[in-house]
Amino acid sequence: MKKALDFQSIIMTLQDFWAERNCLIWQPYYSQVGAGTMNPATFLRVLGPEPWKVAYVEPSIRPDDGRYGDNPNRLQQFYQFQVILKPDPGNPQEIYLSSLKALGIDPDQHDIRFVEDNWQQPAIGAWGLGWEVWLDGQEITQFTYFQQCGGLDLDPVSVEITYGLERIAMTLQGVRHFKDIRWNPERTYGDVNLMGEREHSTYYFDVADVDRMRAMYNIYEKEAELAIAHGLVLPAHDYVLKTSHTFNILDTRGAVGVTERQELFGRTRDLARRVAETYVAQRRQAEFPWLVEGEVESAAVRQEAPRAITAAKASFLFEVGTEELPPSQLAWALAQLEETVPALLDELRLAHGAIRILGTPRRLVVSVAELATRQPDRSLEVKGPPAGRAFDADGNPTRAAEGFARSKGLDVSDLQVETIDGGEYVVARVDEPGRPAVDVLSEALPDLIAVIRFTKSMRWNESGVAFSRPIRWLLALLDGVVVPFEYAGYQSGRETRGLRFVSPQKFDVASPGEYFEKMEGQGIILDPETRQAAIRQQAEAIAASVGGRIGDDPALLAEVTNMVERPTAFLGEFDPSYVEILPPEALISVMRKHQRYIVVEDEDGNLMPYFIGVRNGGEEHLDLVADGNEQVILARFADARFFVEKDLRRPLADFVPELETLTFQAELGSFLDKTRRIHALVADLAPMLGLTADEQAAAERAAELCKADLATSMVVEMTSLQGIMGRYYAIHSGEPKPVADAIFEHYLPRSADDKLPASKPGLAVGLADRLDSLMGLFAVGLAPTGTKDPFAQRRAALGICQNLIAWERHFDLQEGLALAARVLAVEVSAEDRMACLDFIQGRLRVMLLDMGFNYDVVDAALAARGHDPYGALLAVRSLTDWVSRDEWDEILPAFSRCVRITRDLDEVYEVDSAGLQEASEKALLDAIQKAQAEMGDADTVDAFLTAFVPLVPVINRFFDDVLVMDEDEAVRRNRLALLQQVVALADGAADLSQLEGF
Amino acid sequence: MKKALDFQSIIMTLQDFWAERNCLIWQPYYSQVGAGTMNPATFLRVLGPEPWKVAYVEPSIRPDDGRYGDNPNRLQQFYQFQVILKPDPGNPQEIYLSSLKALGIDPDQHDIRFVEDNWQQPAIGAWGLGWEVWLDGQEITQFTYFQQCGGLDLDPVSVEITYGLERIAMTLQGVRHFKDIRWNPERTYGDVNLMGEREHSTYYFDVADVDRMRAMYNIYEKEAELAIAHGLVLPAHDYVLKTSHTFNILDTRGAVGVTERQELFGRTRDLARRVAETYVAQRRQAEFPWLVEGEVESAAVRQEAPRAITAAKASFLFEVGTEELPPSQLAWALAQLEETVPALLDELRLAHGAIRILGTPRRLVVSVAELATRQPDRSLEVKGPPAGRAFDADGNPTRAAEGFARSKGLDVSDLQVETIDGGEYVVARVDEPGRPAVDVLSEALPDLIAVIRFTKSMRWNESGVAFSRPIRWLLALLDGVVVPFEYAGYQSGRETRGLRFVSPQKFDVASPGEYFEKMEGQGIILDPETRQAAIRQQAEAIAASVGGRIGDDPALLAEVTNMVERPTAFLGEFDPSYVEILPPEALISVMRKHQRYIVVEDEDGNLMPYFIGVRNGGEEHLDLVADGNEQVILARFADARFFVEKDLRRPLADFVPELETLTFQAELGSFLDKTRRIHALVADLAPMLGLTADEQAAAERAAELCKADLATSMVVEMTSLQGIMGRYYAIHSGEPKPVADAIFEHYLPRSADDKLPASKPGLAVGLADRLDSLMGLFAVGLAPTGTKDPFAQRRAALGICQNLIAWERHFDLQEGLALAARVLAVEVSAEDRMACLDFIQGRLRVMLLDMGFNYDVVDAALAARGHDPYGALLAVRSLTDWVSRDEWDEILPAFSRCVRITRDLDEVYEVDSAGLQEASEKALLDAIQKAQAEMGDADTVDAFLTAFVPLVPVINRFFDDVLVMDEDEAVRRNRLALLQQVVALADGAADLSQLEGF
């Protein structure tokens, strides 16, 4: 076996490789940059229409990735190898993969994958779509179709390939830590760079002078502006880079709060944009000297001579070949095709058998069985000119009639007159023969692709077509015949591609049947459901083999399913000590979010030190693949430990002051301000929620600490661990367990199906937090709108309701909001409070409807108990019960009569009992008073209706005996007063007028 | 023919080349550095004892080399390829030369030379000795044996090879301008870097904000200190680099005066030193982990079995093979050998025939004809113990005598007693046989090398021996026999090397005769005189071929002679328009100083647009060589034009205020202060020097402008052009010609054989300048000492004298110095003035002696006229004339008698004519009065002696007749008074007492 390349040879090999492919070999930049993207050879050259191909090494500096040399593969300086291909050469993935081969990476022995990555660099106004390239789970390259840079749209799009050289070297050389990478025959990477890692980490994290860094930032910014003012692109760019690096140092020193971050980012981005604009203007002025006309290479797919199909029915196969689609986008595209394909075939009047919509990351497949090869003939009536114009007064056809007949290939005598929409028109009856399916599909298929929508789409070639990722081939076969069409610069054909690496070359298929055979032959499972089932079955077997089971995680399973064409699950292990050291949520989060590993639990649901990965490919060299993946997770866990150990150097309470730098919202202040408000509010809410003194003490302490973990490194790194780390750090800081639990629980529930707070302190702090957020945001005019809910207020409102209901606590939201308003530093109007309450009730309504209650019952209950979610639920339940009773048909009309006759009155009349003359009047008063007495203070639906039932006959008799609207005003008012008292019995219980049948 | 490498391929080829030679391939640094030396891979790794081999590209930033992209090969950013070999591999030049071959540079087609370069980088406390490597006159590489870095001595020494990639590419590709270099098959260097050159030049020269740059410098410095305080070597080094780059920007903006430059340099150097020390301490603490024992490769030269020589006489040849010695050092080494070799042979008692001391840049050669192969035998007397101890009272030998006799191999009876220094000693007479010459030479030759002294010497290998450049072989043959010895790690032998490239391999010579044959066969001219004659003859013939002649420049000829082994002169041309555009002095200076070209003049001494270069090698491809050299001079002239055009944007007077930033001397202020003083002084001096009103006006204007050119770019670049550019710019600024001329002339004479001012204004301004310098420097205690004369005061004093004499102007230096003292801002004591005058007179004395006058005459004249150089000369001439007359033997004794008898008197007596009694007294008084009348105010030697001649007989009679020292005091005083009057006649003319025979 050839010896693996050393580090410098990797670089030299890549230089040779790309030089041979006409890339200009460029040099690293003379400024500290976070990535090769910031080198002007990328940042500027991707702008404008001129072609450009370049490759270079870039030692990239990311201060906050410094790990003092301890982490196996995370470094404050690492070496990128950057390639820019502008425009897209048509097969950049294939070229890239051959470069891996040149490096000695045998794709047969590894799992190489293109994993969705929406790359963006806001500091320089740049973004693009593409992938991380994974080598056995390790990200070794970023591959991006660059869409925008310096805030400018890129046309043409550039392909950016960024190799992570250390990781490639580690894999090639089989070493576990960057310091063991052989750099050349004599020295290791550690020999030459370990000291730098230690020193720079120390400098960036612990030493750099913050005031001086700020001063530097300002100087750089001013020089950049000065240079721009003089039209000096490169000098300006240099200073933009310096602001960026200086910002990174400030950030790593922990000196930058959210607000300042946004501000500094904004300033750098603004400068970057002006640099970009100046550059483009400069090149335009020079008339884009590198622009060469007529260099377009067309995607050469030979076009077959059209062949006729004789069979009446044929199999139809349509494949859109793509570069790896993101899992979610694949799912969505398939869902859309499920809708559009049948509709299209109907529209095209093509009879068909079963339709199957299939897909993998590299292909969208439509398979139609027994498709009619020709439309049926049909007869159409075609409306011509009005009869009055088609025939003259003598009934002879005019020239208009003749012309119309001729245009339809008929004789005038064939025209008929019919009444259409009340007018008389000449009508031609035309027999339209059905067209061949090939023809109509040729016309329709482009649109079938074009209508697919994606969350985010991109351009890649000069067709300007947008898609989730580049389309690279189009296959359309009706039996053995190609359905010819063109889309996105590609001609449809019979060519397809198999599983990458196993079958990297294009190949032809003669027919749909052969297509499916060949796909199956390569192990590609086209049907996502089948694929998912296979993965589940494999994973379960593997988990069982180590005495465990897989966690229930359908979303992950669906994602993994859509990341592979040929799934093969494998088992990985990790050091069990991590289970001791780190919270399981952190471990799971790392495995799930970063690596899409399926976690393994024991019978009690405890995390086991295993994971299950799913490669794209077969069983070959699975040990190598598993080993590579284990290295990845090792480094990631080491990194998590780095953060946790750093955070644990101080008690959690120490992080509270740092919340001042984290802005919650501009007008509402920092998270420190918010913490203070929550703390104050918890003291008010505790009695309302029935907390004991101990519970209240725990709640108040938890309120002080509940947001502290937002300032810890681990949460900064992985926001999803907020609360989890807070609890963990609280325990390690010696806080009582109830306090620690409340810190975690105050975030619960985090999603619709999440668990709920298990303790009253958790409930109280969460309620305070949510009331504060909602009331505050409404007060500053930030109520969520249709699509926008950046502060997740819907979730907050729902959380309030879920928790109060689960805890069966009555709670007056009006009072809660008033208390929240009191501690806010902004002014809160009565309208704000009302709007906020309405918003919460809106969520509550959705929730109750989701529980299956009828909308009328829900509305009836909410109208009276909307301020008290638990009370509302009780009312809804109760009312639902009453409504279903037989006597309801009596009850509701009786009450309804009382309501209807009184609801338009402007005032509440007094009952003058002395003025009551009729017995039924007196009886009603008696009955009312009895009901009132029976209800006492109760305002539940049950209490009201139970008390009301006896009133029903009395009310009915009253209406039978007396005319309420008596001419005598006193009499009339007295009767109305009685009815008003009846209606008032329902106050606070429900608004029965909302019910059906009222 | 293979296509020449493009730019990126040159880099990749060099990477491959050095990687194959076990260099670690490193990357450019992420900071703007002036040279690859500042990359920590050099700056730090050369420190300490650990071995290190590295190679990398370094885009190097030199703001003040920016030329807006106009100059063919001068850029603010250029690409170095840097190689460090530590320790010296023994043959670094040969390895380097093979790398040129790898690049496709065929040494047979070019003139490749190692031209002395004493490299230093004061800003980082680094220096080394080595060469510029010239390819057809173009500097393509710096080759340095690094001696010190960060102020620390390097042990081992590192070899630093720095390729200038643009120039190599231009030569390989045959392009005339950097922008035309092919970078890769699609793009040129200009495509990718021209805009950067323009923009950065503009930024550095015209835009960068000076205040902000200063602020940046200070911030960087503080961060560097902070990092050092934390022991963080690399972060500290980064900031040192940033201070350095920022300093360069400030400098390019013209914002740094001499004083500030020194200060900022000092601060950076101090930081660099502390970084270096911290690094070494850190590595020591780690126990120098890369240090490998026993890796020493010995310079393997096989040692021959010693052979006997039978002949009585033999030819002796001794060659010290070196890497290219600097011309001056070669000359000096040869001069030393001329002294030491004969002395050594005498000391060794080896008879010999002719001794020839020969040498080229690569060899010091000693050739001795007919050297005795054996010392003659000799007999010695060896002193033993005192006779008293050697023999007892009975005269019998004691044990002391026996022991002594035995030690000499004698019997006691052979001892004799002799008287030595007054004591009696036993003496042994020993016959010493002569030793073979091979043996004594073996012992003596190392020392013959060791005693050679150089202005600056260096170490290169672990022998620790110092030499001007590395010794690489030692040849010592006595006829066919090797004289074995070891020096500097080399074993002597019969191996030598021929002309580089023609015969790159070592070869053996059997005998001295064969050596000379082979050298001659390769065209090597060993004898410097013969070589020089050959060059002169070739150059003259070439000059004649274009109708010109070569300028007379013996120093240049000597230098060129010592730069080649096999000289071949060739003709180069340059664009004649440069003769119009630039002052000829500038052109000559460029050709002479930078390129060592011999200039060609026409019959009238005007510069012709040709130059003559001398290659090291034969006639092959001389056209290519000439072409390459022409490109070099083209770029250099273009550069000069760049500066001149920049300077011409403003009138010369505009530069005057900038003189404030140029310090003349700390206490004496800036050159602006000096300018003001000169201006004031010129007004005083003008009448003294007899200037007309017009002349005075011109002189005063010239005084205002005389130093202005020191602030111009051209003079900053080439100090030797001061005055020349001043005149040139003055004319182009519309100043009157006399003013312009005076600006130039005020520096005249610049050296002993330089021309003198042709105009009175030039004379006056120059005198004012020199008086100001001398008086000022003496006043602040900076009189020159034995070896130190940093302000060239000797030259200034001599210039005063030369000019006054040439202009035949009497001028009282005492008065001049007093006037100069008056305008100085510092206090000037009478002693200072006296000391300064003495100093000038000292120079005048040397000058007069150099003219061939006798010292007694000179001293006699100076004693009376030393304050007036011209007067002194006249006196010397006159006196010389008188002294040579026959009557002088009468004159001097007569005068001498008068002097001797009066010279010890403390007072001057009055002549009491009434008291004169003797006739001879009265006659003397008469004669005196007649002489006084005849002399009038004249105080010349001639006037005095002409008047004195008639006095001679009178004086003689006086002494014959009277006893001067009469007992009567009145008589005595009156006679002495007469003689005092005689003596006084010589006052101011000369002090005849200084004359021989007085």
Side-chain angles (χ1 to χ4, degrees), chain B residues 441-452:
Chain B
L441 287 170
S442 283
E443 291 163 16
L445 290 179
D447 202 44
L448 187 65
I449 310 174
V451 297
I452 301 175

Side-chain angles (χ1 to χ4, degrees), chain A residues 8 25 199 203 223 282, chain B residues 8 25 199 203 220 223 282:
Chain A
Q8 69 187 27
I25 303 302
E199 292 193 340
Y203 176 73
E223 279 303 288
Q282 192 181 72
Chain B
Q8 68 186 28
I25 303 301
E199 292 192 340
Y203 176 72
Y220 294 152
E223 280 303 286
Q282 193 182 72

Side-chain angles (χ1 to χ4, degrees), chain A residues 316-327:
Chain A
F316 174 60
L317 175 67
F318 176 46
E319 181 187 45
V320 179
T322 63
E323 297 182 355
E324 278 76 355
L325 298 170

